[in-house]
Amino acid sequence: MKQILKLDAIFNEKFNFITGLLLLFLAIYLIVAFISYFSTGSADQSLVTDLRPGELENTNRSFENYCGSTGAILSYFFISRCFGFAAFTIPLFIILCGLKLIGASTSLNLWKWFFSLSVITVWSSITLSKFLSPLMSDAIFSPGGDHGVFVAQWIENIIGPPGLIAVLAVVALIFLTFVSSETIIMTRKILNPMGYLKQVKFTITNRETSDSATPEEEIATQPDPEVFDDPAPQIVEFTDNGTVVNAPAGIPTSDDVEMTIEVGEENDKAEGNRVSEEHDLNTPINPKEPFTRYKYPTLDLLKKYDNDGKPYIDRSEQEANKNQIIKVLGSFGVQISEIKATVGPTITLYEITPAEGVRISKIRNLEDDIALSLAALGIRIIAPIPGKGTIGIEVPNAKANIVSMESILNSRKFQESQMELPIALGKTITNDVYMVDLAKIPHLLVAGATGQGKSVGLNAIITSLLYKKHPNELKLVLIDPKKVEFSIYTPIAKHFMAMVDENEEPIITDIDKVVRTLKSLCTLMDYRYDMLKLAGTRNIKEYNNKYVNHLLDLSKGHEYMPYIVVIIDEFGDLIMQVGKEIELPIARIAQLARAVGIHMVIATQRPTTSIITGNIKANFPGRMAFKVSAMIDSRTILDRPGAQQLIGRGDMLILNGSEPVRVQCAFIDTPEVEVINKYISQQPGPTHALELPEPITEDNGGGGGAIELGSFDPLFEEAARMIVLSQQGSTSMIQRKFQIGYNRAGRLMDQLEQAGIVGAAQGSKPREVLIPDEVSLEKLLGQLHQ
């Protein structure tokens, strides 16, 4: 333990800052030495190549390099013997390392820079040796150093000078493609200049002449006079690829309408391998005790994908879609002045600015025509885009990118989030990480047809919480009527689960146990409200803040309250089997439990009105809709159409406000979840799941008949003696005295009431003790033994 603390003390912020400063000074020293070498190298050459004992100290100032003998030796080695002018990339990389350690530039990816600068160094060394050596024949070093001379000669010996030039050109092209996808576009322009002449604006006469040999089709359309106030039909001629070749006056063509393409910036990466770091709390009570050595899951447990990250732009695809959109809208008399394409991971949003005088209220009616023209599913028209005077047309990309869970969690947005219950769901069309706080939603309704990504979405929600919360801060209640979806979370039952009876299965699959668990949560909710009232707080956040700052009297039963998230995988199956018996406790929890930290996520693959009733919808403001089969299902889940036009595979609409947001759900597969759960199960944590209180039933009292002492808790007699001696009927006192959980202490108190030792519960006040002394207690216990 001491060795670990010493290592933590060494690798801290001060150490990194000092190391970063030293690296910066080293880089500046090398740069000065390199520059000085150009003028002093010839004078120092003989000394460096034949260094004698004592000359390194430079006592006689024999070395003329501005940085002394060390500078002369280093510059000779890196410039003359190694890379020539390309050696300047070495101090450049050292500068980047220094800035990273100091913290001046936290977003630097040093591995990417190392790879890039290594390629640049080797390539420049060879290229400079090949092309500049003849121009610097009198210099004491080769422009590419000895390394460049050797490699260039070796390659020329094998494939000759033309082969060397070809290799250098291909390597440069591959490297530039790796650095920026714009290289692909520029290469296409160079190899096929005629394909990009459409960007040059010609007159109508020139267009008619150049396109005279092109096959044409004539579209004559009479627009609806109630929609468009056009006095007569417009005759518009198009080529097969959608280019207008003979447009009437005033109708913009595809060449007249310019399109800008944007791609959202990739989110800044998180620092380190964890998104939640352990840190000491400056409060009298640490809620993470006694499991302060618990380690949060690391990012290397998640998979990375080759096509994950910044979306790829296919310029030809965007141009073709633009032309088709103009073709369809133009045939209906809709004139546009500008198009902006925003390329997302799976969807591209074409933002259209209509020309003056164009009414956009009926443009939504063209949805099917545009979908037919583009031969694509999942097209959705937003007319108008909220807050803008534009029309949005969402078109699926021909090549979809996988949005991995790693790319979502490995972002500064998620790492620096201060949300109580952060759930990272995926990426928007603008490539932004989409996150919500479940504590503020506060309940989420998930729907989608089979195989459209609903189960993956639930796994993404759970994984987000596991990466951010400590076992003392969060408990899960997983209800799985299908018995197979949540079974992979069994290994973390002791760390993160809550259940009525710890002897039962951690994942609740039995219908009767589901009802019992939900009623138990209602009992816990009432108890927590009593504790909030006693503490004088309004919600769980204020209550826990008072608790950790030692502002509550612990003798009154105050405990740290973890958030409880209830996730039901197939709500429709439960409703079909038990109906109102399960709907009523869910509705009660949804109405009242937000303030005490109990939140619900319910999912169904049948979003019908018989399953998602008005009572449920009214209390679940957060909605997450994957692809559904019919518009009526979309209206049920979102109160509007749209979900039936999604493309599946994690494509979803999230409603957390006035307008839904289209998001590509993060993908996490079963092996990843299993690895994360195995990691968590190996961490220090609770030895048993959190026990939920016994639900209150109608026949809760003692009733008639004899009482058998053998059916009572083994601690019953000890607890009875303690209560009578202290004359305080307090459940929290039983907890502290016998070091047992709240549930067992509560059952003991109910048994004491059943035996007539204490009176009925009085809210948060201690119960009345009915037995005056120990003698009377022994008589009562003797009667119970008979």
Side-chain angles (χ1 to χ4, degrees):
M1 182 65 182
K2 291 182 179 179
Q3 291 178 349
I4 295 175
L5 292 175
K6 288 180 180 179
L7 288 174
D8 290 340
I10 293 174
F11 294 102
N12 56 17
E13 187 176 4
K14 292 181 180 178
F15 177 82
N16 291 339
F17 184 80
I18 294 172
T19 305
L21 284 178
L22 293 176
L23 289 177
L24 288 179
F25 286 127
L26 174 61
I28 295 172
Y29 178 83
L30 286 176
I31 292 174
V32 174
F34 287 1
I35 294 174
S36 177
Y37 177 77
F38 297 145
S39 58
T40 64
S42 57
D44 295 337
Q45 184 85 353
S46 60
L47 295 173
V48 173
T49 56
D50 187 21
L51 191 64
R52 298 176 181 176
E55 289 184 342
L56 183 64
E57 287 79 3
N58 198 22
T59 54
N60 297 326
R61 297 283 181 174
S62 302
F63 289 91
E64 296 188 12
N65 191 290
Y66 193 63
C67 292
S69 59
T70 303
I73 294 171
L74 289 175
S75 56
Y76 168 75
F77 174 76
F78 285 115
I79 294 179
S80 179
R81 299 292 297 162
C82 292
F83 306 113
F85 290 115
F88 278 93
T89 58
I90 296 172
L92 173 59
F93 182 71
I94 297 175
I95 290 174
L96 296 176
C97 293
L99 293 175
K100 180 78 171 181
L101 289 172
I102 289 175
S105 182
T106 57
S107 61
L108 280 174
N109 187 335
L110 290 181
W111 282 111
K112 185 175 180 179
W113 275 99
F114 175 77
F115 172 76
S116 301
L117 290 176
S118 298
V119 174
I120 292 173
T121 303
V122 174
W123 185 89
S124 301
S125 173
I126 300 171
T127 304
L128 293 174
S129 295
K130 171 63 179 174
F131 296 105
L132 290 188
S133 290
L135 304 178
M136 298 179 59
S137 57
D138 297 334
I140 60 170
F141 67 95
S142 170
D146 291 351
H147 163 270
V149 172
F150 173 79
V151 176
Q153 290 177 351
W154 181 75
I155 296 177
E156 283 189 341
N157 291 339
I158 298 175
I159 58 177
L164 173 61
I165 296 173
V167 168
L168 292 175
V170 170
V171 171
L173 193 60
I174 293 174
F175 176 74
L176 292 175
T177 303
F178 170 77
V179 172
S180 174
S181 59
E182 291 294 325
T183 306
I184 300 174
I185 299 174
M186 294 302 299
T187 305
R188 288 173 178 168
K189 286 183 179 180
I190 294 172
L191 298 178
N192 184 21
M194 296 302 296
Y196 287 86
L197 290 180
K198 292 187 296 181
Q199 298 178 1
V200 182
K201 296 184 178 180
F202 296 100
T203 62
I204 294 178
T205 304
N206 289 339
R207 263 200 314 274
E208 290 177 349
T209 303
S210 62
D211 293 336
S212 59
T214 306
E216 300 177 353
E217 60 178 355
E218 183 173 295
I219 301 177
T221 305
Q222 174 65 54
D224 185 353
E226 294 181 1
V227 180
F228 309 103
D229 297 329
D230 298 330
Q234 303 268 357
I235 305 298
V236 186
E237 298 179 4
F238 299 95
T239 63
D240 287 341
N241 64 358
T243 304
V244 181
V245 295
N246 190 10
I251 299 291
T253 69
S254 58
D255 287 342
D256 295 327
V257 180
E258 296 184 355
M259 179 175 68
T260 57
I261 300 178
E262 294 184 356
V263 177
E265 292 294 328
E266 190 173 358
N267 295 272
D268 291 340
K269 297 293 185 182
E271 290 294 319
N273 197 28
R274 286 189 175 90
V275 294
S276 299
E277 293 295 337
E278 299 80 13
H279 57 276
D280 296 328
L281 298 178
N282 298 320
T283 53
I285 299 177
N286 185 353
K288 298 180 181 180
E289 291 181 349
F291 313 116
T292 53
R293 295 183 64 186
Y294 172 86
K295 300 293 184 182
Y296 292 87
T298 56
L299 291 169
D300 56 13
L301 302 175
L302 298 167
K303 289 182 182 178
K304 296 182 180 180
Y305 295 88
D306 294 336
N307 62 346
D308 187 17
K310 193 173 182 179
Y312 167 73
I313 299 179
D314 187 339
R315 180 81 188 189
S316 59
E317 177 189 349
Q318 311 304 331
E319 286 288 342
N321 288 344
K322 164 202 164 185
N323 293 338
Q324 291 294 337
I325 290 172
I326 294 174
K327 174 180 176 178
V328 175
L329 295 180
S331 65
F332 283 89
V334 179
Q335 303 174 31
I336 59 177
S337 59
E338 182 184 357
I339 294 182
K340 184 175 88 171
T342 303
V343 183
T346 56
I347 301 293
T348 296
L349 172 65
Y350 294 91
E351 194 171 332
I352 297 172
T353 303
E356 290 187 13
V358 174
R359 298 172 58 186
I360 64 174
S361 60
K362 300 291 184 179
I363 291 182
R364 189 183 294 272
N365 295 335
L366 303 178
E367 202 162 45
D368 294 337
D369 298 279
I370 296 175
L372 181 64
S373 173
L374 296 177
L377 298 175
I379 289 180
R380 194 170 73 104
I381 290 184
I382 310 170
I385 295 178
K388 299 182 179 180
T390 56
I391 305 163
I393 301 178
E394 295 176 344
V395 181
N397 296 336
K399 180 182 178 182
N401 281 13
I402 294 177
V403 176
S404 68
M405 197 70 202
E406 191 274 341
S407 67
I408 301 298
L409 301 187
N410 189 12
S411 63
R412 292 179 65 87
K413 183 175 183 179
F414 184 76
Q415 183 188 45
E416 298 175 355
S417 169
Q418 300 299 316
M419 297 177 180
E420 295 297 317
L421 293 174
I423 52 177
L425 297 172
K427 287 187 177 181
T428 63
I429 292 177
T430 56
N431 212 36
D432 292 327
V433 172
Y434 186 87
M435 289 178 56
V436 292
D437 189 354
L438 185 59
K440 292 183 178 180
I441 291 182
H443 308 290
L444 183 62
L445 187 60
V446 183
T450 304
Q452 303 304 321
K454 178 168 53 64
S455 296
V456 175
L458 294 179
N459 287 334
I461 292 173
I462 297 174
T463 302
S464 300
L465 296 173
L466 294 179
Y467 265 81
K468 267 294 188 180
K469 306 305 289 185
H470 188 275
N472 286 359
E473 299 173 324
L474 171 71
K475 298 298 175 183
L476 300 172
V477 176
L478 302 182
I479 298 175
D480 182 13
K482 292 191 290 188
K483 304 181 181 181
V484 294
E485 294 295 342
F486 291 149
S487 58
I488 53 178
Y489 293 102
T490 302
I492 64 170
K494 294 180 179 179
H495 286 74
F496 281 101
M497 297 292 181
M499 60 186 73
V500 179
D501 190 346
E502 63 177 341
N503 296 322
E504 297 178 353
E505 289 293 326
I507 311 300
I508 305 165
T509 58
D510 184 77
I511 296 297
D512 294 333
K513 293 179 181 178
V514 172
V515 176
R516 182 165 173 252
T517 301
L518 292 174
K519 290 182 178 180
S520 174
L521 288 168
C522 291
T523 303
L524 177 63
M525 178 182 70
D526 295 334
Y527 169 76
R528 285 190 169 188
Y529 267 113
D530 289 337
M531 301 310 294
L532 259 64
K533 178 182 177 182
L534 187 63
T537 55
R538 296 177 300 172
N539 54 57
I540 186 174
K541 187 175 182 179
E542 294 178 4
Y543 178 89
N544 284 338
N545 186 55
K546 275 193 172 184
Y547 177 86
V548 298
N549 286 285
H550 222 312
L551 300 177
L552 299 178
D553 186 356
L554 303 187
S555 65
K556 294 182 179 180
H558 291 295
E559 294 178 308
Y560 187 83
M561 293 184 184
Y563 283 94
I564 296 178
V565 178
V566 185
I567 303 179
I568 304 176
D569 180 45
E570 188 41 69
F571 178 66
D573 189 53
L574 298 178
I575 287 292
M576 290 177 64
Q577 294 190 55
V578 290
K580 293 293 183 181
E581 192 175 359
I582 195 172
E583 182 181 348
L584 292 178
I586 286 178
R588 186 164 185 263
I589 292 172
Q591 288 172 349
L592 301 173
R594 172 182 183 174
V596 293
I598 302 176
H599 304 275
M600 300 196 74
V601 178
I602 64 175
T604 180
Q605 63 183 9
R606 295 189 297 272
T608 61
T609 53
S610 60
I611 294 173
I612 304 177
T613 62
N615 197 20
I616 294 294
K617 288 178 64 175
N619 294 290
F620 281 76
R623 316 281 175 80
M624 199 162 89
F626 294 88
K627 181 177 175 59
V628 295
S629 56
M631 183 187 295
I632 186 64
D633 294 337
S634 178
R635 291 188 181 277
T636 302
I637 182 69
L638 294 174
D639 298 321
R640 70 199 73 199
Q644 81 281 3
Q645 296 166 318
L646 301 175
I647 61 174
R649 295 178 299 175
D651 188 20
M652 62 180 175
L653 290 172
I654 300 177
L655 182 63
N656 185 28
S658 58
E659 292 294 330
V661 179
R662 195 164 186 174
V663 175
Q664 178 61 38
C665 183
F667 177 73
I668 178 170
D669 61 5
T670 301
E672 290 178 89
V673 176
E674 290 174 342
V675 171
I676 294 170
N677 292 337
K678 182 180 179 181
Y679 176 90
I680 292 175
S681 66
Q682 295 172 347
Q683 299 301 313
T687 57
H688 59 274
L690 175 69
E691 285 189 58
L692 297 174
E694 288 287 339
I696 299 175
T697 57
E698 294 180 0
D699 52 348
N700 192 34
I707 302 174
E708 296 182 3
L709 189 62
S711 63
F712 283 170
D713 192 285
L715 295 175
F716 174 79
E717 293 191 31
E718 294 183 57
R721 291 189 179 92
M722 184 193 68
I723 292 293
V724 172
L725 287 175
S726 63
Q727 288 294 302
Q728 291 184 2
S730 170
T731 304
S732 60
M733 187 171 65
I734 295 177
Q735 284 182 262
R736 294 192 306 275
K737 176 67 177 178
F738 299 106
Q739 296 183 349
I740 58 177
Y742 170 78
N743 288 343
R744 189 177 180 186
R747 285 195 293 268
L748 270 170
M749 189 60 72
D750 291 338
Q751 293 169 5
L752 292 170
E753 179 188 355
Q754 189 177 4
I757 298 174
V758 297
Q762 303 177 18
S764 59
K765 296 180 181 179
R767 298 184 185 228
E768 179 185 2
V769 181
L770 303 179
I771 304 299
D773 51 43
E774 193 173 5
V775 176
S776 302
L777 174 63
E778 293 301 331
K779 289 182 180 180
L780 177 59
L781 293 177
Q783 294 174 2
L784 295 176
H785 278 292
Q786 294 177 358

